[in-house]
mmCIF file of all heavy atoms in Angstrom:
data_model
loop_
_atom_site.group_PDB
_atom_site.id
_atom_site.type_symbol
_atom_site.label_atom_id
_atom_site.label_comp_id
_atom_site.label_asym_id
_atom_site.label_seq_id
_atom_site.Cartn_x
_atom_site.Cartn_y
_atom_site.Cartn_z
ATOM 1 N N MET A 235 -12.037 8.753 -22.220
ATOM 2 C CA MET A 235 -11.538 9.597 -21.149
ATOM 3 C C MET A 235 -11.241 8.715 -19.895
ATOM 4 O O MET A 235 -10.386 9.044 -19.140
ATOM 5 C CB MET A 235 -12.459 10.759 -20.884
ATOM 6 C CG MET A 235 -11.951 11.741 -19.908
ATOM 7 S SD MET A 235 -10.557 12.583 -20.694
ATOM 8 C CE MET A 235 -10.213 13.820 -19.576
ATOM 9 N N SER A 236 -12.128 7.765 -19.692
ATOM 10 C CA SER A 236 -11.963 6.917 -18.493
ATOM 11 C C SER A 236 -10.714 6.025 -18.466
ATOM 12 O O SER A 236 -10.180 5.968 -17.580
ATOM 13 C CB SER A 236 -13.276 5.948 -18.540
ATOM 14 O OG SER A 236 -13.049 4.938 -17.534
ATOM 15 N N LYS A 237 -10.353 5.671 -19.742
ATOM 16 C CA LYS A 237 -9.071 4.942 -19.848
ATOM 17 C C LYS A 237 -7.852 5.740 -19.428
ATOM 18 O O LYS A 237 -6.953 5.348 -18.811
ATOM 19 C CB LYS A 237 -8.948 4.399 -21.245
ATOM 20 C CG LYS A 237 -7.811 3.314 -21.414
ATOM 21 C CD LYS A 237 -7.798 2.718 -22.754
ATOM 22 C CE LYS A 237 -6.731 1.809 -22.938
ATOM 23 N NZ LYS A 237 -6.658 1.141 -24.250
ATOM 24 N N VAL A 238 -7.911 7.003 -19.806
ATOM 25 C CA VAL A 238 -6.762 7.877 -19.569
ATOM 26 C C VAL A 238 -6.723 8.191 -18.104
ATOM 27 O O VAL A 238 -5.630 8.223 -17.401
ATOM 28 C CB VAL A 238 -6.971 9.247 -20.350
ATOM 29 C CG1 VAL A 238 -5.884 10.290 -19.930
ATOM 30 C CG2 VAL A 238 -6.876 8.974 -21.918
ATOM 31 N N ARG A 239 -7.850 8.285 -17.455
ATOM 32 C CA ARG A 239 -7.901 8.604 -16.052
ATOM 33 C C ARG A 239 -7.371 7.415 -15.246
ATOM 34 O O ARG A 239 -6.685 7.566 -14.286
ATOM 35 C CB ARG A 239 -9.400 8.911 -15.634
ATOM 36 C CG ARG A 239 -9.484 9.524 -14.242
ATOM 37 C CD ARG A 239 -10.844 10.015 -13.988
ATOM 38 N NE ARG A 239 -11.011 11.247 -14.736
ATOM 39 C CZ ARG A 239 -12.233 11.936 -14.628
ATOM 40 N NH1 ARG A 239 -13.218 11.477 -13.824
ATOM 41 N NH2 ARG A 239 -12.393 13.091 -15.282
ATOM 42 N N LYS A 240 -7.858 6.228 -15.604
ATOM 43 C CA LYS A 240 -7.249 5.089 -14.959
ATOM 44 C C LYS A 240 -5.830 4.888 -15.005
ATOM 45 O O LYS A 240 -5.096 4.555 -14.068
ATOM 46 C CB LYS A 240 -8.008 3.728 -15.477
ATOM 47 C CG LYS A 240 -9.390 3.697 -15.127
ATOM 48 C CD LYS A 240 -10.093 2.415 -15.694
ATOM 49 C CE LYS A 240 -11.635 2.291 -15.335
ATOM 50 N NZ LYS A 240 -12.231 1.136 -16.014
ATOM 51 N N THR A 241 -5.288 5.087 -16.317
ATOM 52 C CA THR A 241 -3.879 4.979 -16.589
ATOM 53 C C THR A 241 -3.093 6.024 -15.770
ATOM 54 O O THR A 241 -2.090 5.742 -15.196
ATOM 55 C CB THR A 241 -3.603 5.163 -18.034
ATOM 56 O OG1 THR A 241 -4.355 4.276 -18.785
ATOM 57 C CG2 THR A 241 -2.136 4.957 -18.330
ATOM 58 N N ALA A 242 -3.609 7.222 -15.643
ATOM 59 C CA ALA A 242 -2.970 8.307 -14.839
ATOM 60 C C ALA A 242 -2.978 7.860 -13.384
ATOM 61 O O ALA A 242 -1.997 8.169 -12.701
ATOM 62 C CB ALA A 242 -3.610 9.571 -15.042
ATOM 63 N N GLY A 243 -4.025 7.358 -12.893
ATOM 64 C CA GLY A 243 -4.167 6.829 -11.446
ATOM 65 C C GLY A 243 -3.176 5.775 -11.160
ATOM 66 O O GLY A 243 -2.510 5.887 -10.095
ATOM 67 N N VAL A 244 -2.987 4.889 -12.158
ATOM 68 C CA VAL A 244 -2.083 3.773 -11.826
ATOM 69 C C VAL A 244 -0.671 4.317 -11.812
ATOM 70 O O VAL A 244 0.205 3.973 -11.033
ATOM 71 C CB VAL A 244 -2.177 2.720 -12.915
ATOM 72 C CG1 VAL A 244 -1.024 1.667 -12.884
ATOM 73 C CG2 VAL A 244 -3.583 1.972 -12.722
ATOM 74 N N LEU A 245 -0.301 5.202 -12.711
ATOM 75 C CA LEU A 245 1.038 5.783 -12.908
ATOM 76 C C LEU A 245 1.289 6.646 -11.584
ATOM 77 O O LEU A 245 2.436 6.683 -11.079
ATOM 78 C CB LEU A 245 1.146 6.719 -14.115
ATOM 79 C CG LEU A 245 1.196 5.875 -15.456
ATOM 80 C CD1 LEU A 245 1.277 6.846 -16.663
ATOM 81 C CD2 LEU A 245 2.491 5.047 -15.408
ATOM 82 N N LEU A 246 0.338 7.356 -11.112
ATOM 83 C CA LEU A 246 0.479 8.074 -9.865
ATOM 84 C C LEU A 246 0.867 7.175 -8.717
ATOM 85 O O LEU A 246 1.746 7.495 -7.906
ATOM 86 C CB LEU A 246 -0.764 9.008 -9.628
ATOM 87 C CG LEU A 246 -0.738 9.808 -8.273
ATOM 88 C CD1 LEU A 246 0.327 10.785 -8.359
ATOM 89 C CD2 LEU A 246 -2.079 10.442 -8.095
ATOM 90 N N LEU A 247 0.147 6.113 -8.570
ATOM 91 C CA LEU A 247 0.316 5.135 -7.532
ATOM 92 C C LEU A 247 1.699 4.507 -7.560
ATOM 93 O O LEU A 247 2.378 4.372 -6.552
ATOM 94 C CB LEU A 247 -0.734 4.096 -7.415
ATOM 95 C CG LEU A 247 -2.048 4.420 -7.020
ATOM 96 C CD1 LEU A 247 -3.081 3.238 -7.226
ATOM 97 C CD2 LEU A 247 -2.119 4.907 -5.513
ATOM 98 N N VAL A 248 2.137 4.177 -8.862
ATOM 99 C CA VAL A 248 3.473 3.631 -8.981
ATOM 100 C C VAL A 248 4.526 4.701 -8.594
ATOM 101 O O VAL A 248 5.543 4.331 -7.913
ATOM 102 C CB VAL A 248 3.658 3.098 -10.467
ATOM 103 C CG1 VAL A 248 5.066 2.811 -10.728
ATOM 104 C CG2 VAL A 248 2.778 1.953 -10.737
ATOM 105 N N ALA A 249 4.320 5.915 -9.034
ATOM 106 C CA ALA A 249 5.242 6.911 -8.700
ATOM 107 C C ALA A 249 5.368 7.188 -7.138
ATOM 108 O O ALA A 249 6.471 7.350 -6.551
ATOM 109 C CB ALA A 249 4.893 8.219 -9.324
ATOM 110 N N LEU A 250 4.244 7.104 -6.487
ATOM 111 C CA LEU A 250 4.260 7.314 -5.037
ATOM 112 C C LEU A 250 4.861 6.160 -4.379
ATOM 113 O O LEU A 250 5.655 6.313 -3.310
ATOM 114 C CB LEU A 250 2.790 7.438 -4.524
ATOM 115 C CG LEU A 250 2.164 8.731 -4.856
ATOM 116 C CD1 LEU A 250 0.721 8.807 -4.458
ATOM 117 C CD2 LEU A 250 2.838 9.984 -4.117
ATOM 118 N N LEU A 251 4.758 5.003 -4.788
ATOM 119 C CA LEU A 251 5.411 3.762 -4.304
ATOM 120 C C LEU A 251 6.892 3.860 -4.495
ATOM 121 O O LEU A 251 7.610 3.543 -3.470
ATOM 122 C CB LEU A 251 4.827 2.495 -4.915
ATOM 123 C CG LEU A 251 5.326 1.248 -4.345
ATOM 124 C CD1 LEU A 251 4.984 1.016 -2.914
ATOM 125 C CD2 LEU A 251 4.831 0.048 -5.187
ATOM 126 N N VAL A 252 7.274 4.212 -5.606
ATOM 127 C CA VAL A 252 8.763 4.349 -5.798
ATOM 128 C C VAL A 252 9.296 5.432 -4.893
ATOM 129 O O VAL A 252 10.466 5.276 -4.355
ATOM 130 C CB VAL A 252 9.014 4.643 -7.339
ATOM 131 C CG1 VAL A 252 10.501 5.036 -7.665
ATOM 132 C CG2 VAL A 252 8.679 3.382 -8.248
ATOM 133 N N ALA A 253 8.598 6.610 -4.827
ATOM 134 C CA ALA A 253 9.111 7.667 -3.987
ATOM 135 C C ALA A 253 9.198 7.211 -2.524
ATOM 136 O O ALA A 253 10.181 7.522 -1.829
ATOM 137 C CB ALA A 253 8.254 8.863 -4.146
ATOM 138 N N TYR A 254 8.269 6.417 -2.057
ATOM 139 C CA TYR A 254 8.323 5.888 -0.746
ATOM 140 C C TYR A 254 9.444 4.965 -0.475
ATOM 141 O O TYR A 254 10.162 5.014 0.498
ATOM 142 C CB TYR A 254 6.909 5.250 -0.358
ATOM 143 C CG TYR A 254 6.936 4.623 0.946
ATOM 144 C CD1 TYR A 254 6.710 5.348 2.134
ATOM 145 C CD2 TYR A 254 7.008 3.214 1.066
ATOM 146 C CE1 TYR A 254 6.681 4.893 3.304
ATOM 147 C CE2 TYR A 254 6.997 2.742 2.313
ATOM 148 C CZ TYR A 254 6.869 3.383 3.550
ATOM 149 O OH TYR A 254 6.885 2.888 4.757
ATOM 150 N N MET A 255 9.609 4.084 -1.460
ATOM 151 C CA MET A 255 10.713 3.074 -1.335
ATOM 152 C C MET A 255 12.041 3.658 -1.302
ATOM 153 O O MET A 255 12.980 3.183 -0.708
ATOM 154 C CB MET A 255 10.644 2.049 -2.403
ATOM 155 C CG MET A 255 9.363 1.193 -2.402
ATOM 156 S SD MET A 255 9.011 0.392 -0.853
ATOM 157 C CE MET A 255 10.210 -0.904 -0.950
ATOM 158 N N ARG A 256 12.238 4.848 -2.033
ATOM 159 C CA ARG A 256 13.526 5.460 -2.093
ATOM 160 C C ARG A 256 13.787 6.484 -0.983
ATOM 161 O O ARG A 256 14.833 7.069 -0.840
ATOM 162 C CB ARG A 256 13.652 6.204 -3.473
ATOM 163 C CG ARG A 256 13.731 5.275 -4.657
ATOM 164 C CD ARG A 256 13.817 6.030 -5.916
ATOM 165 N NE ARG A 256 15.326 6.584 -5.904
ATOM 166 C CZ ARG A 256 15.790 7.253 -6.826
ATOM 167 N NH1 ARG A 256 15.092 7.570 -7.902
ATOM 168 N NH2 ARG A 256 16.967 7.713 -6.826
ATOM 169 N N SER A 257 12.727 6.724 -0.147
ATOM 170 C CA SER A 257 12.974 7.731 0.909
ATOM 171 C C SER A 257 13.726 7.178 2.192
ATOM 172 O O SER A 257 13.898 5.939 2.245
ATOM 173 C CB SER A 257 11.536 8.244 1.368
ATOM 174 O OG SER A 257 10.804 7.191 1.926
ATOM 175 N N SER A 258 14.169 8.128 2.999
ATOM 176 C CA SER A 258 14.878 7.608 4.174
ATOM 177 C C SER A 258 13.969 7.058 5.178
ATOM 178 O O SER A 258 12.780 7.137 5.101
ATOM 179 C CB SER A 258 15.702 8.964 4.788
ATOM 180 O OG SER A 258 14.643 9.765 5.229
ATOM 181 N N GLU A 259 14.651 6.387 6.185
ATOM 182 C CA GLU A 259 13.849 5.673 7.259
ATOM 183 C C GLU A 259 12.947 6.716 8.038
ATOM 184 O O GLU A 259 11.877 6.397 8.418
ATOM 185 C CB GLU A 259 14.786 4.926 8.219
ATOM 186 C CG GLU A 259 15.362 3.717 7.573
ATOM 187 C CD GLU A 259 14.305 2.703 7.247
ATOM 188 O OE1 GLU A 259 13.351 2.587 7.917
ATOM 189 O OE2 GLU A 259 14.419 2.135 6.069
ATOM 190 N N SER A 260 13.504 7.914 8.292
ATOM 191 C CA SER A 260 12.829 8.894 9.137
ATOM 192 C C SER A 260 11.610 9.296 8.324
ATOM 193 O O SER A 260 10.430 9.542 8.856
ATOM 194 C CB SER A 260 13.683 10.053 9.508
ATOM 195 O OG SER A 260 14.107 10.739 8.319
ATOM 196 N N THR A 261 11.705 9.499 6.997
ATOM 197 C CA THR A 261 10.517 9.929 6.201
ATOM 198 C C THR A 261 9.484 8.800 6.170
ATOM 199 O O THR A 261 8.255 9.122 6.202
ATOM 200 C CB THR A 261 11.099 10.259 4.753
ATOM 201 O OG1 THR A 261 11.961 11.252 4.833
ATOM 202 C CG2 THR A 261 9.907 10.760 3.882
ATOM 203 N N LYS A 262 9.893 7.600 6.112
ATOM 204 C CA LYS A 262 9.030 6.431 6.100
ATOM 205 C C LYS A 262 8.152 6.329 7.426
ATOM 206 O O LYS A 262 6.998 6.189 7.403
ATOM 207 C CB LYS A 262 9.771 5.145 5.800
ATOM 208 C CG LYS A 262 10.192 4.927 4.449
ATOM 209 C CD LYS A 262 10.991 3.530 4.387
ATOM 210 C CE LYS A 262 11.443 3.473 2.867
ATOM 211 N NZ LYS A 262 12.191 2.184 2.755
ATOM 212 N N ARG A 263 8.860 6.643 8.639
ATOM 213 C CA ARG A 263 8.307 6.633 9.788
ATOM 214 C C ARG A 263 7.175 7.805 9.927
ATOM 215 O O ARG A 263 6.082 7.630 10.354
ATOM 216 C CB ARG A 263 9.294 6.802 10.948
ATOM 217 C CG ARG A 263 9.883 5.556 11.358
ATOM 218 C CD ARG A 263 10.657 5.741 12.682
ATOM 219 N NE ARG A 263 11.526 6.996 12.841
ATOM 220 C CZ ARG A 263 12.816 7.020 12.476
ATOM 221 N NH1 ARG A 263 13.446 5.998 12.156
ATOM 222 N NH2 ARG A 263 13.387 8.221 12.619
ATOM 223 N N TYR A 264 7.578 8.937 9.314
ATOM 224 C CA TYR A 264 6.654 10.083 9.370
ATOM 225 C C TYR A 264 5.358 9.731 8.478
ATOM 226 O O TYR A 264 4.352 10.082 8.920
ATOM 227 C CB TYR A 264 7.367 11.356 8.714
ATOM 228 C CG TYR A 264 6.459 12.454 8.598
ATOM 229 C CD1 TYR A 264 6.120 13.238 9.641
ATOM 230 C CD2 TYR A 264 5.980 12.881 7.308
ATOM 231 C CE1 TYR A 264 5.256 14.341 9.538
ATOM 232 C CE2 TYR A 264 5.188 13.940 7.170
ATOM 233 C CZ TYR A 264 4.768 14.685 8.201
ATOM 234 O OH TYR A 264 3.988 15.760 8.098
ATOM 235 N N VAL A 265 5.552 9.204 7.258
ATOM 236 C CA VAL A 265 4.460 8.883 6.448
ATOM 237 C C VAL A 265 3.538 7.816 7.114
ATOM 238 O O VAL A 265 2.320 7.957 7.162
ATOM 239 C CB VAL A 265 4.902 8.341 5.131
ATOM 240 C CG1 VAL A 265 3.780 7.726 4.284
ATOM 241 C CG2 VAL A 265 5.568 9.484 4.317
ATOM 242 N N LYS A 266 4.155 6.755 7.711
ATOM 243 C CA LYS A 266 3.386 5.800 8.440
ATOM 244 C C LYS A 266 2.586 6.399 9.591
ATOM 245 O O LYS A 266 1.350 6.136 9.853
ATOM 246 C CB LYS A 266 4.295 4.715 9.033
ATOM 247 C CG LYS A 266 4.815 3.810 8.025
ATOM 248 C CD LYS A 266 5.761 2.698 8.635
ATOM 249 C CE LYS A 266 6.389 1.831 7.556
ATOM 250 N NZ LYS A 266 7.279 0.897 8.193
ATOM 251 N N HIS A 267 3.171 7.332 10.371
ATOM 252 C CA HIS A 267 2.514 7.953 11.345
ATOM 253 C C HIS A 267 1.280 8.873 10.928
ATOM 254 O O HIS A 267 0.268 8.872 11.480
ATOM 255 C CB HIS A 267 3.477 8.796 12.272
ATOM 256 C CG HIS A 267 2.919 9.485 13.393
ATOM 257 N ND1 HIS A 267 2.511 8.821 14.534
ATOM 258 C CD2 HIS A 267 2.597 10.842 13.649
ATOM 259 C CE1 HIS A 267 2.008 9.633 15.430
ATOM 260 N NE2 HIS A 267 2.038 10.906 14.906
ATOM 261 N N LEU A 268 1.641 9.528 9.832
ATOM 262 C CA LEU A 268 0.611 10.373 9.201
ATOM 263 C C LEU A 268 -0.579 9.583 8.777
ATOM 264 O O LEU A 268 -1.790 9.937 8.924
ATOM 265 C CB LEU A 268 1.140 11.216 8.059
ATOM 266 C CG LEU A 268 0.271 12.251 7.494
ATOM 267 C CD1 LEU A 268 -0.025 13.277 8.522
ATOM 268 C CD2 LEU A 268 0.905 12.932 6.282
ATOM 269 N N LEU A 269 -0.387 8.470 8.091
ATOM 270 C CA LEU A 269 -1.351 7.606 7.570
ATOM 271 C C LEU A 269 -2.270 6.990 8.754
ATOM 272 O O LEU A 269 -3.403 6.764 8.466
ATOM 273 C CB LEU A 269 -0.816 6.550 6.699
ATOM 274 C CG LEU A 269 -0.294 6.932 5.321
ATOM 275 C CD1 LEU A 269 0.440 5.824 4.622
ATOM 276 C CD2 LEU A 269 -1.400 7.655 4.476
ATOM 277 N N LYS A 270 -1.671 6.750 9.843
ATOM 278 C CA LYS A 270 -2.473 6.265 10.930
ATOM 279 C C LYS A 270 -3.452 7.355 11.440
ATOM 280 O O LYS A 270 -4.513 6.901 12.063
ATOM 281 C CB LYS A 270 -1.459 5.920 12.210
ATOM 282 C CG LYS A 270 -0.779 4.609 11.951
ATOM 283 C CD LYS A 270 0.185 4.352 13.127
ATOM 284 C CE LYS A 270 1.064 3.117 12.931
ATOM 285 N NZ LYS A 270 1.844 2.894 14.054
ATOM 286 N N GLN A 271 -3.205 8.551 11.274
ATOM 287 C CA GLN A 271 -4.011 9.670 11.824
ATOM 288 C C GLN A 271 -5.067 10.100 10.799
ATOM 289 O O GLN A 271 -6.004 10.851 11.188
ATOM 290 C CB GLN A 271 -3.193 10.788 12.206
ATOM 291 C CG GLN A 271 -2.303 10.517 13.354
ATOM 292 C CD GLN A 271 -1.455 11.720 13.775
ATOM 293 O OE1 GLN A 271 -1.746 12.867 13.313
ATOM 294 N NE2 GLN A 271 -0.496 11.547 14.621
ATOM 295 N N VAL A 272 -5.019 9.662 9.535
ATOM 296 C CA VAL A 272 -5.904 10.131 8.484
ATOM 297 C C VAL A 272 -7.386 9.881 8.884
ATOM 298 O O VAL A 272 -8.330 10.785 8.591
ATOM 299 C CB VAL A 272 -5.588 9.567 7.155
ATOM 300 C CG1 VAL A 272 -6.662 9.640 6.176
ATOM 301 C CG2 VAL A 272 -4.209 9.998 6.588
ATOM 302 N N GLN A 273 -7.635 8.782 9.358
ATOM 303 C CA GLN A 273 -9.017 8.545 9.800
ATOM 304 C C GLN A 273 -9.690 9.386 10.828
ATOM 305 O O GLN A 273 -10.833 9.635 10.894
ATOM 306 C CB GLN A 273 -9.177 7.027 10.225
ATOM 307 C CG GLN A 273 -8.385 6.746 11.559
ATOM 308 C CD GLN A 273 -8.530 5.263 11.947
ATOM 309 O OE1 GLN A 273 -9.273 4.566 11.456
ATOM 310 N NE2 GLN A 273 -7.532 4.787 12.783
ATOM 311 N N TYR A 274 -8.837 9.997 11.594
ATOM 312 C CA TYR A 274 -9.353 11.012 12.584
ATOM 313 C C TYR A 274 -9.305 12.487 12.193
ATOM 314 O O TYR A 274 -9.922 13.286 12.906
ATOM 315 C CB TYR A 274 -8.455 10.835 13.899
ATOM 316 C CG TYR A 274 -8.401 9.472 14.443
ATOM 317 C CD1 TYR A 274 -7.256 8.672 14.446
ATOM 318 C CD2 TYR A 274 -9.497 8.831 14.890
ATOM 319 C CE1 TYR A 274 -7.201 7.485 14.954
ATOM 320 C CE2 TYR A 274 -9.558 7.550 15.465
ATOM 321 C CZ TYR A 274 -8.410 6.828 15.456
ATOM 322 O OH TYR A 274 -8.306 5.567 15.912
ATOM 323 N N LEU A 275 -8.658 12.842 11.091
ATOM 324 C CA LEU A 275 -8.580 14.258 10.709
ATOM 325 C C LEU A 275 -9.856 14.846 10.377
ATOM 326 O O LEU A 275 -10.121 15.969 10.762
ATOM 327 C CB LEU A 275 -7.455 14.340 9.541
ATOM 328 C CG LEU A 275 -6.110 14.017 9.825
ATOM 329 C CD1 LEU A 275 -5.219 14.051 8.652
ATOM 330 C CD2 LEU A 275 -5.578 14.879 10.928
ATOM 331 N N PRO A 276 -10.806 14.143 9.627
ATOM 332 C CA PRO A 276 -12.150 14.829 9.310
ATOM 333 C C PRO A 276 -12.764 15.227 10.582
ATOM 334 O O PRO A 276 -13.397 16.265 10.723
ATOM 335 C CB PRO A 276 -12.846 13.885 8.540
ATOM 336 C CG PRO A 276 -11.836 13.016 7.998
ATOM 337 C CD PRO A 276 -10.658 12.964 8.842
ATOM 338 N N TYR A 277 -12.834 14.318 11.660
ATOM 339 C CA TYR A 277 -13.621 14.574 12.864
ATOM 340 C C TYR A 277 -12.989 15.748 13.697
ATOM 341 O O TYR A 277 -13.612 16.557 14.306
ATOM 342 C CB TYR A 277 -13.687 13.374 13.717
ATOM 343 C CG TYR A 277 -14.341 12.214 13.016
ATOM 344 C CD1 TYR A 277 -13.701 11.154 12.600
ATOM 345 C CD2 TYR A 277 -15.738 12.268 12.743
ATOM 346 C CE1 TYR A 277 -14.385 10.059 11.971
ATOM 347 C CE2 TYR A 277 -16.409 11.438 12.052
ATOM 348 C CZ TYR A 277 -15.752 10.266 11.650
ATOM 349 O OH TYR A 277 -16.408 9.198 11.012
ATOM 350 N N ARG A 278 -11.596 15.800 13.568
ATOM 351 C CA ARG A 278 -10.899 16.775 14.352
ATOM 352 C C ARG A 278 -11.157 18.254 13.850
ATOM 353 O O ARG A 278 -11.199 19.153 14.526
ATOM 354 C CB ARG A 278 -9.441 16.469 14.512
ATOM 355 C CG ARG A 278 -8.615 17.394 15.308
ATOM 356 C CD ARG A 278 -7.190 16.961 15.326
ATOM 357 N NE ARG A 278 -7.118 15.607 16.051
ATOM 358 C CZ ARG A 278 -5.998 15.008 16.037
ATOM 359 N NH1 ARG A 278 -4.892 15.349 15.348
ATOM 360 N NH2 ARG A 278 -5.937 13.724 16.671
ATOM 361 N N TYR A 279 -11.133 18.338 12.522
ATOM 362 C CA TYR A 279 -11.091 19.608 11.887
ATOM 363 C C TYR A 279 -12.271 20.060 11.176
ATOM 364 O O TYR A 279 -12.432 21.338 10.925
ATOM 365 C CB TYR A 279 -9.883 19.713 10.946
ATOM 366 C CG TYR A 279 -8.509 19.594 11.640
ATOM 367 C CD1 TYR A 279 -7.725 18.422 11.363
ATOM 368 C CD2 TYR A 279 -8.049 20.584 12.466
ATOM 369 C CE1 TYR A 279 -6.594 18.310 12.046
ATOM 370 C CE2 TYR A 279 -6.852 20.436 13.053
ATOM 371 C CZ TYR A 279 -5.990 19.210 12.867
ATOM 372 O OH TYR A 279 -4.929 19.245 13.498
ATOM 373 N N PHE A 280 -13.297 19.158 10.769
ATOM 374 C CA PHE A 280 -14.314 19.588 10.038
ATOM 375 C C PHE A 280 -15.680 19.306 10.758
ATOM 376 O O PHE A 280 -16.674 19.659 10.200
ATOM 377 C CB PHE A 280 -14.344 18.806 8.670
ATOM 378 C CG PHE A 280 -13.111 19.138 7.889
ATOM 379 C CD1 PHE A 280 -12.110 18.113 7.626
ATOM 380 C CD2 PHE A 280 -12.848 20.363 7.437
ATOM 381 C CE1 PHE A 280 -11.029 18.414 6.899
ATOM 382 C CE2 PHE A 280 -11.762 20.613 6.678
ATOM 383 C CZ PHE A 280 -10.802 19.651 6.413
ATOM 384 N N ILE A 281 -15.620 18.688 11.833
ATOM 385 C CA ILE A 281 -16.991 18.462 12.579
ATOM 386 C C ILE A 281 -16.962 19.162 13.941
ATOM 387 O O ILE A 281 -15.980 19.255 14.637
ATOM 388 C CB ILE A 281 -17.223 17.009 12.770
ATOM 389 C CG1 ILE A 281 -17.511 16.328 11.409
ATOM 390 C CG2 ILE A 281 -18.480 16.803 13.687
ATOM 391 C CD1 ILE A 281 -17.668 14.895 11.423
#
């Protein structure tokens, strides 16, 4: 089961990378901005 889970994880990462590379510039800017804020989201909404 572990091998299947690792393979699925790698395939998911590859799919996300391909989707990111094919997206428009505005979508890339949005994703970059969102990823910069991820570290602050738990403190803002859950604490």
Side-chain angles (χ1 to χ4, degrees):
M235 190 65 172
S236 171
K237 188 175 181 180
V238 173
R239 193 175 284 182
K240 287 179 186 177
T241 304
V244 169
L245 288 175
L246 178 64
L247 287 175
V248 169
L250 289 174
L251 180 64
V252 169
Y254 176 78
M255 297 304 285
R256 295 184 67 181
S257 62
S258 66
E259 288 298 320
S260 63
T261 304
K262 288 180 183 178
R263 280 195 312 265
Y264 175 76
V265 169
K266 286 179 186 178
H267 182 69
L268 187 65
L269 288 176
K270 286 180 185 177
Q271 295 182 12
V272 165
Q273 61 184 342
Y274 303 113
L275 291 177
Y277 299 111
R278 184 178 294 167
Y279 296 110
F280 300 112
I281 294 179

